[in-house]
């Protein structure tokens, strides 16, 4: 999928876009490498740069990402478990309001 899939009024900063784009990046570009070296850890991914911050502790991984990219929203996944994705993303989005 590319950005042209979305309508002109679609917000690229919305949790829905970040979740969809982040999942795409994770599955197509990062999953194999992360599962080989970071299984069970949290991965915080900046969807613009595709930079990944991993840690066993979600807060630590998020703090590392925010130190480098202040005031951004991130795609967050527990490596090896996409089921946690939407709850984590929604929690992160709500905690910033």
């Amino acid at each position: 999928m590319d950005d042209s899939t979305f309508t002109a009024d679609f917000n690229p900063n919305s949790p829905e876009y970040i979740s969809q784009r982040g999942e795409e990046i994770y599955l197509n570009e990062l999953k194999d490498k992360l599962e080989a070296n970071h299984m069970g850890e949290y991965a915080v991914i900046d969807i613009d740069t595709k930079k990944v911050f991993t840690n066993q502790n979600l807060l630590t991984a998020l703090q590392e990402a925010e130190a480098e990219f202040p005031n951004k929203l991130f795609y967050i996944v527990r490596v090896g478990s996409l089921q946690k994705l939407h709850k984590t993303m929604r929690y992160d989005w709500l905690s910033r309001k």
Side-chain angles (χ1 to χ4, degrees), residues 22-85:
E23 183 174 339
E24 180 179 283
I25 292 167
Y26 175 76
L27 292 174
N28 296 329
E29 301 177 33
L30 302 171
K31 183 177 182 277
D32 293 339
K33 179 181 173 186
L34 288 172
E35 286 185 356
N37 300 304
H38 299 281
M39 183 63 82
E41 293 183 20
Y42 291 96
V44 177
I45 303 168
D46 174 56
I47 65 165
D48 296 323
T49 64
K50 300 179 184 176
K51 184 157 185 181
V52 181
F53 301 85
T54 59
N55 198 289
Q56 290 288 340
N57 182 292
L58 173 57
L59 183 58
T60 300
L62 187 55
Q63 287 172 333
E64 290 172 3
E66 288 181 329
E68 188 160 336
F69 301 105
N71 302 314
K72 284 192 84 174
L73 292 176
F74 303 96
Y75 175 80
I76 303 169
V77 63
R78 188 155 196 177
V79 177
S81 177
L82 281 177
Q83 291 78 20
K84 302 283 184 183
L85 164 72

